[in-house]
Amino acid sequence: MTLTTKLAWDDTVLPFQLDRSDVRGRVARLDTTLDQILGQHDYPAPVEAMVAEMALLTALIGQTIKLRWKLSLQVRSDGPIRLIATDFLAPEAEGEPARIRAYASYDAEKLDVTAPAFPQIGSGYFAILIDQGPDMTPYQGITPLAGGSLSACAEAYFAQSEQLPTQFQLSYGQAQEPGQAASWRAGGVMVQLMPESSLEAQGGGTGEEGLLTAEDLVDEDTAEDWNRAKILLETADEMELIGPHVSPTDLLVRLFHEEQPRVFDAQPVAFGCTCSEDRVRQSLSIYSAKDIAHMTTDEGRVTADCQFCGAHYEFDPLTLGFEAEKDPDGTPR
């Protein structure tokens, strides 16, 4: 792959369909976007790894939904890594990139930086939330954490909540090309049996804690095609997933040439945040003057920091809350 071709596929999600197998999927590549997401924070290595995996899952899942505004993935747990939250924000106009942001909360005293990352999440739940904007009812689906990775949790979610057989093959980490600084790269493929091809399972599943699995959702007519697609997907190695020497289209031909892969328009993605001074003011508008006084620092300011991008905001307390005495420009009311 030439440098120009590599750059063309950096930070993109490519939808595809396997016509022979009745399977759809996505190929995602994140590099500058992932570098910017992780560059907002100074996470220990295990937390960085989990945020990288979650961001890659977000890119793959977000592009499968006819999204007007925002899709969010969340992991909440009782382990040292307590929270991982990501957002996929739909493009504001045709041709513009979708935006991804992410952050994590962890207990630095309990975290073991030399131990594997996923077991340090502990027990909890994996959630997908879809917000289509004002006047639309948000959707929320939750499933217990299961399996040995965040991608396994996502597979369990789709089987349990959406009853769609789903498989991920992911790779992520820091890479360094000659003469360049180390940077984060991630790549992955998601395959999913088409909705009209999957069964509606009844009762408990065969997975951990009785959760449904992909195998619970296929019958004799679809099992062969689904299993073949899964086996082919599992042959992808790390360098093929991350690149930079194998383009997503070449990867699909390598993996699925006999399944008749058909690609659609790629979606660019970028790091982006929706925070602003106006949004912070709006979030504080529900508080009384007494509440605002409790938030005020010794220097006489109310401060707020965005957990996603690190932006810092400072306000005159008299301009905040539903009992504000001044307008935001300082003019007395």
Side-chain angles (χ1 to χ4, degrees), residues 20-21 23 193 218-231 259:
R20 181 187 174 194
S21 306
V23 166
L193 195 64
V218 295
D219 59 17
E220 293 181 0
D221 295 330
T222 57
E224 183 178 347
D225 286 345
W226 172 246
N227 290 333
R228 188 172 63 250
K230 281 179 54 181
I231 291 169
E259 305 302 306

PDB file of all heavy atoms in Angstrom, residues 20-21 23 193 218-231 259:
ATOM      1  N   ARG A  20     -23.001 -14.044  -0.797  1.00  0.00           N
ATOM      2  CA  ARG A  20     -23.205 -15.487  -0.742  1.00  0.00           C
ATOM      3  C   ARG A  20     -23.699 -15.937   0.634  1.00  0.00           C
ATOM      4  O   ARG A  20     -24.474 -16.890   0.755  1.00  0.00           O
ATOM      5  CB  ARG A  20     -21.908 -16.209  -1.084  1.00  0.00           C
ATOM      6  CG  ARG A  20     -22.038 -17.732  -1.071  1.00  0.00           C
ATOM      7  CD  ARG A  20     -20.711 -18.413  -1.242  1.00  0.00           C
ATOM      8  NE  ARG A  20     -20.845 -19.871  -1.095  1.00  0.00           N
ATOM      9  CZ  ARG A  20     -19.837 -20.695  -0.928  1.00  0.00           C
ATOM     10  NH1 ARG A  20     -18.600 -20.233  -0.904  1.00  0.00           N
ATOM     11  NH2 ARG A  20     -20.050 -21.989  -0.799  1.00  0.00           N
ATOM     12  N   SER A  21     -23.248 -15.248   1.693  1.00  0.00           N
ATOM     13  CA  SER A  21     -23.516 -15.701   3.055  1.00  0.00           C
ATOM     14  C   SER A  21     -24.662 -14.963   3.740  1.00  0.00           C
ATOM     15  O   SER A  21     -25.007 -15.291   4.873  1.00  0.00           O
ATOM     16  CB  SER A  21     -22.258 -15.541   3.917  1.00  0.00           C
ATOM     17  OG  SER A  21     -21.160 -16.178   3.328  1.00  0.00           O
ATOM     18  N   VAL A  23     -24.526 -12.031   4.952  1.00  0.00           N
ATOM     19  CA  VAL A  23     -23.868 -11.420   6.102  1.00  0.00           C
ATOM     20  C   VAL A  23     -23.464  -9.997   5.724  1.00  0.00           C
ATOM     21  O   VAL A  23     -23.021  -9.740   4.602  1.00  0.00           O
ATOM     22  CB  VAL A  23     -22.614 -12.231   6.505  1.00  0.00           C
ATOM     23  CG1 VAL A  23     -21.720 -11.448   7.469  1.00  0.00           C
ATOM     24  CG2 VAL A  23     -23.023 -13.566   7.135  1.00  0.00           C
ATOM     25  N   LEU A 193     -25.042 -11.445  10.900  1.00  0.00           N
ATOM     26  CA  LEU A 193     -26.036 -12.098  10.060  1.00  0.00           C
ATOM     27  C   LEU A 193     -27.185 -11.137   9.807  1.00  0.00           C
ATOM     28  O   LEU A 193     -27.645 -10.450  10.721  1.00  0.00           O
ATOM     29  CB  LEU A 193     -26.555 -13.366  10.750  1.00  0.00           C
ATOM     30  CG  LEU A 193     -27.327 -14.364   9.878  1.00  0.00           C
ATOM     31  CD1 LEU A 193     -26.443 -14.942   8.791  1.00  0.00           C
ATOM     32  CD2 LEU A 193     -27.892 -15.490  10.742  1.00  0.00           C
ATOM     33  N   VAL A 218     -29.166 -19.113  15.070  1.00  0.00           N
ATOM     34  CA  VAL A 218     -29.090 -19.602  13.692  1.00  0.00           C
ATOM     35  C   VAL A 218     -29.724 -20.982  13.612  1.00  0.00           C
ATOM     36  O   VAL A 218     -29.703 -21.746  14.587  1.00  0.00           O
ATOM     37  CB  VAL A 218     -27.633 -19.654  13.179  1.00  0.00           C
ATOM     38  CG1 VAL A 218     -27.041 -18.255  13.097  1.00  0.00           C
ATOM     39  CG2 VAL A 218     -26.765 -20.530  14.066  1.00  0.00           C
ATOM     40  N   ASP A 219     -30.300 -21.293  12.459  1.00  0.00           N
ATOM     41  CA  ASP A 219     -30.887 -22.607  12.266  1.00  0.00           C
ATOM     42  C   ASP A 219     -30.073 -23.382  11.239  1.00  0.00           C
ATOM     43  O   ASP A 219     -29.017 -22.936  10.800  1.00  0.00           O
ATOM     44  CB  ASP A 219     -32.357 -22.505  11.854  1.00  0.00           C
ATOM     45  CG  ASP A 219     -32.548 -21.706  10.567  1.00  0.00           C
ATOM     46  OD1 ASP A 219     -31.549 -21.511   9.827  1.00  0.00           O
ATOM     47  OD2 ASP A 219     -33.672 -21.278  10.286  1.00  0.00           O
ATOM     48  N   GLU A 220     -30.559 -24.527  10.828  1.00  0.00           N
ATOM     49  CA  GLU A 220     -29.811 -25.374   9.905  1.00  0.00           C
ATOM     50  C   GLU A 220     -29.578 -24.677   8.572  1.00  0.00           C
ATOM     51  O   GLU A 220     -28.556 -24.901   7.917  1.00  0.00           O
ATOM     52  CB  GLU A 220     -30.559 -26.693   9.684  1.00  0.00           C
ATOM     53  CG  GLU A 220     -30.619 -27.582  10.926  1.00  0.00           C
ATOM     54  CD  GLU A 220     -31.348 -28.885  10.663  1.00  0.00           C
ATOM     55  OE1 GLU A 220     -31.802 -29.080   9.510  1.00  0.00           O
ATOM     56  OE2 GLU A 220     -31.462 -29.699  11.594  1.00  0.00           O
ATOM     57  N   ASP A 221     -30.500 -23.824   8.157  1.00  0.00           N
ATOM     58  CA  ASP A 221     -30.371 -23.161   6.864  1.00  0.00           C
ATOM     59  C   ASP A 221     -29.311 -22.069   6.866  1.00  0.00           C
ATOM     60  O   ASP A 221     -28.727 -21.759   5.830  1.00  0.00           O
ATOM     61  CB  ASP A 221     -31.719 -22.551   6.445  1.00  0.00           C
ATOM     62  CG  ASP A 221     -32.779 -23.616   6.207  1.00  0.00           C
ATOM     63  OD1 ASP A 221     -32.405 -24.739   5.806  1.00  0.00           O
ATOM     64  OD2 ASP A 221     -33.971 -23.320   6.429  1.00  0.00           O
ATOM     65  N   THR A 222     -29.089 -21.436   8.022  1.00  0.00           N
ATOM     66  CA  THR A 222     -28.150 -20.311   8.079  1.00  0.00           C
ATOM     67  C   THR A 222     -26.845 -20.644   8.803  1.00  0.00           C
ATOM     68  O   THR A 222     -25.877 -19.896   8.677  1.00  0.00           O
ATOM     69  CB  THR A 222     -28.808 -19.112   8.786  1.00  0.00           C
ATOM     70  OG1 THR A 222     -29.239 -19.520  10.095  1.00  0.00           O
ATOM     71  CG2 THR A 222     -30.004 -18.602   7.991  1.00  0.00           C
ATOM     72  N   ALA A 223     -26.825 -21.729   9.562  1.00  0.00           N
ATOM     73  CA  ALA A 223     -25.647 -22.032  10.381  1.00  0.00           C
ATOM     74  C   ALA A 223     -24.395 -22.220   9.537  1.00  0.00           C
ATOM     75  O   ALA A 223     -23.307 -21.743   9.909  1.00  0.00           O
ATOM     76  CB  ALA A 223     -25.906 -23.281  11.225  1.00  0.00           C
ATOM     77  N   GLU A 224     -24.509 -22.904   8.394  1.00  0.00           N
ATOM     78  CA  GLU A 224     -23.323 -23.164   7.580  1.00  0.00           C
ATOM     79  C   GLU A 224     -22.715 -21.865   7.062  1.00  0.00           C
ATOM     80  O   GLU A 224     -21.499 -21.654   7.148  1.00  0.00           O
ATOM     81  CB  GLU A 224     -23.674 -24.081   6.408  1.00  0.00           C
ATOM     82  CG  GLU A 224     -22.458 -24.442   5.559  1.00  0.00           C
ATOM     83  CD  GLU A 224     -22.789 -25.391   4.426  1.00  0.00           C
ATOM     84  OE1 GLU A 224     -23.908 -25.965   4.433  1.00  0.00           O
ATOM     85  OE2 GLU A 224     -21.943 -25.563   3.531  1.00  0.00           O
ATOM     86  N   ASP A 225     -23.553 -20.979   6.525  1.00  0.00           N
ATOM     87  CA  ASP A 225     -23.052 -19.701   6.014  1.00  0.00           C
ATOM     88  C   ASP A 225     -22.455 -18.855   7.132  1.00  0.00           C
ATOM     89  O   ASP A 225     -21.388 -18.249   6.974  1.00  0.00           O
ATOM     90  CB  ASP A 225     -24.183 -18.920   5.341  1.00  0.00           C
ATOM     91  CG  ASP A 225     -24.558 -19.502   3.990  1.00  0.00           C
ATOM     92  OD1 ASP A 225     -23.773 -20.312   3.457  1.00  0.00           O
ATOM     93  OD2 ASP A 225     -25.630 -19.154   3.478  1.00  0.00           O
ATOM     94  N   TRP A 226     -23.142 -18.808   8.284  1.00  0.00           N
ATOM     95  CA  TRP A 226     -22.658 -17.998   9.404  1.00  0.00           C
ATOM     96  C   TRP A 226     -21.335 -18.533   9.936  1.00  0.00           C
ATOM     97  O   TRP A 226     -20.380 -17.770  10.159  1.00  0.00           O
ATOM     98  CB  TRP A 226     -23.706 -17.938  10.502  1.00  0.00           C
ATOM     99  CG  TRP A 226     -23.218 -17.290  11.764  1.00  0.00           C
ATOM    100  CD1 TRP A 226     -23.038 -17.870  12.981  1.00  0.00           C
ATOM    101  CD2 TRP A 226     -22.813 -15.921  11.916  1.00  0.00           C
ATOM    102  NE1 TRP A 226     -22.559 -16.966  13.895  1.00  0.00           N
ATOM    103  CE2 TRP A 226     -22.410 -15.753  13.270  1.00  0.00           C
ATOM    104  CE3 TRP A 226     -22.757 -14.831  11.065  1.00  0.00           C
ATOM    105  CZ2 TRP A 226     -21.953 -14.544  13.764  1.00  0.00           C
ATOM    106  CZ3 TRP A 226     -22.300 -13.611  11.554  1.00  0.00           C
ATOM    107  CH2 TRP A 226     -21.904 -13.482  12.898  1.00  0.00           C
ATOM    108  N   ASN A 227     -21.251 -19.837  10.116  1.00  0.00           N
ATOM    109  CA  ASN A 227     -20.016 -20.426  10.641  1.00  0.00           C
ATOM    110  C   ASN A 227     -18.858 -20.240   9.669  1.00  0.00           C
ATOM    111  O   ASN A 227     -17.715 -20.007  10.088  1.00  0.00           O
ATOM    112  CB  ASN A 227     -20.225 -21.908  10.935  1.00  0.00           C
ATOM    113  CG  ASN A 227     -21.139 -22.136  12.127  1.00  0.00           C
ATOM    114  OD1 ASN A 227     -21.233 -21.290  13.012  1.00  0.00           O
ATOM    115  ND2 ASN A 227     -21.825 -23.272  12.153  1.00  0.00           N
ATOM    116  N   ARG A 228     -19.144 -20.317   8.386  1.00  0.00           N
ATOM    117  CA  ARG A 228     -18.085 -20.108   7.399  1.00  0.00           C
ATOM    118  C   ARG A 228     -17.562 -18.667   7.456  1.00  0.00           C
ATOM    119  O   ARG A 228     -16.355 -18.429   7.429  1.00  0.00           O
ATOM    120  CB  ARG A 228     -18.609 -20.433   5.997  1.00  0.00           C
ATOM    121  CG  ARG A 228     -17.520 -20.425   4.923  1.00  0.00           C
ATOM    122  CD  ARG A 228     -18.042 -20.934   3.587  1.00  0.00           C
ATOM    123  NE  ARG A 228     -19.099 -20.091   3.051  1.00  0.00           N
ATOM    124  CZ  ARG A 228     -20.370 -20.443   2.965  1.00  0.00           C
ATOM    125  NH1 ARG A 228     -20.768 -21.634   3.400  1.00  0.00           N
ATOM    126  NH2 ARG A 228     -21.272 -19.618   2.450  1.00  0.00           N
ATOM    127  N   ALA A 229     -18.459 -17.704   7.561  1.00  0.00           N
ATOM    128  CA  ALA A 229     -18.042 -16.299   7.662  1.00  0.00           C
ATOM    129  C   ALA A 229     -17.214 -16.069   8.921  1.00  0.00           C
ATOM    130  O   ALA A 229     -16.203 -15.352   8.900  1.00  0.00           O
ATOM    131  CB  ALA A 229     -19.265 -15.391   7.642  1.00  0.00           C
ATOM    132  N   LYS A 230     -17.623 -16.668  10.038  1.00  0.00           N
ATOM    133  CA  LYS A 230     -16.883 -16.526  11.295  1.00  0.00           C
ATOM    134  C   LYS A 230     -15.482 -17.115  11.180  1.00  0.00           C
ATOM    135  O   LYS A 230     -14.494 -16.499  11.606  1.00  0.00           O
ATOM    136  CB  LYS A 230     -17.622 -17.235  12.431  1.00  0.00           C
ATOM    137  CG  LYS A 230     -18.787 -16.474  13.009  1.00  0.00           C
ATOM    138  CD  LYS A 230     -19.456 -17.272  14.113  1.00  0.00           C
ATOM    139  CE  LYS A 230     -18.468 -17.697  15.173  1.00  0.00           C
ATOM    140  NZ  LYS A 230     -19.108 -18.497  16.243  1.00  0.00           N
ATOM    141  N   ILE A 231     -15.374 -18.305  10.611  1.00  0.00           N
ATOM    142  CA  ILE A 231     -14.071 -18.967  10.492  1.00  0.00           C
ATOM    143  C   ILE A 231     -13.136 -18.154   9.604  1.00  0.00           C
ATOM    144  O   ILE A 231     -11.953 -17.973   9.920  1.00  0.00           O
ATOM    145  CB  ILE A 231     -14.251 -20.395   9.944  1.00  0.00           C
ATOM    146  CG1 ILE A 231     -14.947 -21.274  10.989  1.00  0.00           C
ATOM    147  CG2 ILE A 231     -12.911 -21.011   9.548  1.00  0.00           C
ATOM    148  CD1 ILE A 231     -15.402 -22.615  10.456  1.00  0.00           C
ATOM    149  N   GLU A 259     -17.010 -15.389  -0.847  1.00  0.00           N
ATOM    150  CA  GLU A 259     -18.321 -14.997  -0.320  1.00  0.00           C
ATOM    151  C   GLU A 259     -18.928 -13.829  -1.083  1.00  0.00           C
ATOM    152  O   GLU A 259     -19.969 -13.308  -0.696  1.00  0.00           O
ATOM    153  CB  GLU A 259     -18.195 -14.620   1.165  1.00  0.00           C
ATOM    154  CG  GLU A 259     -17.566 -15.679   2.036  1.00  0.00           C
ATOM    155  CD  GLU A 259     -18.330 -16.989   1.983  1.00  0.00           C
ATOM    156  OE1 GLU A 259     -19.555 -16.969   2.233  1.00  0.00           O
ATOM    157  OE2 GLU A 259     -17.713 -18.024   1.678  1.00  0.00           O
TER     158      GLU A 259
END
